[in-house]
Amino acid sequence: MTAFPVPTVPAPPVGVVGLGQLGGSLAAALVAAGREVTGWDVDPAARDAAAARGVRIARELTGVVVLAVPLPAMAGALAGLGVDPEATVTDLGSVKAPVLAELGPMLGGRYVGGHPMCGTERSGHGATDPGLFAGARWALCVEPGTDLARWLRVAEVALAVGAEVVPATAAEHDDAVAAVSHVPHLLAAALAAAAGEAGPLALALAAGSFRDGTRVIGSDPGFVTAMVQGNAGPTAAALARVLAQLARPWPELVAAGHAVRAGSPAGRRPVRVPLERAALLSLGRAGGAVTRRLAAFVEGYVPAVD
C-alpha cells in the first residue's frame, strides 16, 4: 500500500465554550495532547478548574471553536465572545438536526456538527476526565454544504483526544442515537419508576442488571428532557420499535435480542478512503470510523464480516 505523508500544516488552536464534563474534559485532553487551548464558561468555578489544568481562559477564540453547552443554550453560546470570523465552529450536542437548523444559517459553511458518544451520568466541571474520549465514537456531520477542509480540522480535534470519527448526516445521526441513546434513557426512567412502584423490598434486592439498566437516568433530568424532546420524532419512532419488540412472545424476543448482541462483528478491516463526501458517508453507514488522517485520504476501518 502506498504511503502518504501526514500533513505538517500546524494544527489550529482550539476554543472550548462551556467547561463542564464534556467541554472541560475535551480542553484538558487537548492540553495533554499538546494542542493550544482557550476556554470560556459563564461559571467562574468552571473557569478556575480548567485554568488549573492548563487551559488558557479568555473570551477571544479562534481556530476550531467547540460549543460544549446544553442544547437550549446552543444558539446564544457565542454571544459576548470575540470569535474569529474565519473560525470553524463545531458542537458536542446530542441532537444534530435542530442545532444545524439553528447554527447553519448563522455560520454557513463554517459550522460542522459533532457529537462524541461518551460521558457519564455525572455533570459539571467536577466530572472532568481527560481520558473520557479515548476509544469513543465521535459522530461528525457531513452535509451537502459541508466544507471538507473544515470537517477535517474538526476530525483532527477528535482524533487528538483518542476518539474514532464516524461520518454521518445530521438526520442519520439523530435516527441512530434515538435508538441507542435516547430511548435507553427513557427505558431507564421507566425501569426505575416501575421498580419504585414495586416497593422497598424490590429496591433492596436490586443488583447488577437493575443498576446497569437504570444508570443513565441518574443524569440531570433537565439534560435528559432537552435531549429526548429535541429529537422527538426519531425517538418516538425508535420507542415504537421497542414496544413492538416487547409485544413478541418472550422466548422469541429473548432469542432475537441475544442474536443481535452475539452477532456483533468481532474484527475490523482497515480501509483508506478519499476526503470526499460520498466516500466518508459510506464508511459511516457501514459501521466504520476514521482513525487517522493522511495528505489526501483518511484511514480507518469497517467491521469485518466472516
Side-chain angles (χ1 to χ4, degrees):
M1 183 177 290
T2 303
F4 287 84
V6 176
T8 56
V9 176
V14 180
V16 181
V17 182
L19 297 170
Q21 184 189 49
L22 285 181
S25 296
L26 178 62
L30 288 169
V31 168
R35 293 291 293 265
E36 180 184 343
V37 186
T38 299
W40 183 258
D41 196 293
V42 296
D43 180 2
R47 297 198 299 266
D48 291 344
R53 297 184 177 98
V55 179
R56 175 178 175 268
I57 303 299
R59 293 174 181 266
E60 292 69 41
L61 307 172
T62 189
V64 176
V65 177
V66 183
L67 306 183
V69 299
L71 290 171
M74 201 73 73
L78 297 179
L81 301 179
V83 179
D84 182 346
E86 293 302 314
T88 297
V89 179
T90 186
D91 73 299
L92 307 183
S94 57
V95 177
K96 296 273 61 78
V99 179
L100 175 63
E102 282 192 321
L103 298 186
M106 181 192 319
L107 298 169
R110 296 169 55 208
Y111 172 67
V112 179
H115 177 209
M117 298 297 294
C118 58
T120 70
E121 68 276 12
R122 300 172 63 210
S123 61
H125 66 84
T128 294
D129 175 8
L132 186 64
F133 303 94
R137 295 294 189 90
W138 190 313
L140 205 57
C141 293
V142 185
E143 306 300 330
T146 297
D147 182 327
L148 291 180
R150 292 183 183 274
W151 185 93
L152 189 57
R153 282 308 193 188
V154 179
E156 290 172 345
V157 171
L159 295 173
V161 296
E164 299 176 346
V165 175
V166 179
T169 67
E172 288 173 336
H173 166 276
D174 289 356
D175 284 342
V177 297
V180 299
S181 176
H182 301 173
V183 163
H185 276 81
L186 293 176
L187 294 179
L191 285 171
E197 291 178 351
L201 175 60
L203 294 175
L205 293 174
S209 59
F210 180 78
R211 181 179 63 250
D212 294 343
T214 59
R215 178 186 62 81
V216 294
I217 205 57
S219 303
D220 176 71
F223 164 81
V224 175
T225 300
M227 179 178 67
V228 296
Q229 290 184 338
N231 198 30
T235 299
L239 185 59
R241 292 195 296 271
V242 172
L243 294 174
Q245 291 290 337
L246 290 173
R248 299 172 70 177
W250 292 347
E252 183 181 312
L253 171 60
V254 170
H258 177 78
V260 170
R261 290 291 291 168
S264 298
R268 296 177 171 185
R269 177 170 61 85
V271 294
R272 174 181 289 166
V273 300
L275 189 64
E276 189 271 329
R277 181 176 184 271
L280 291 171
L281 288 175
S282 292
L283 176 67
R285 289 164 183 163
V290 173
T291 56
R292 182 170 180 252
R293 71 154 294 184
L294 301 174
F297 294 78
V298 292
E299 285 186 339
Y301 65 86
V302 293
V305 179
D306 294 335

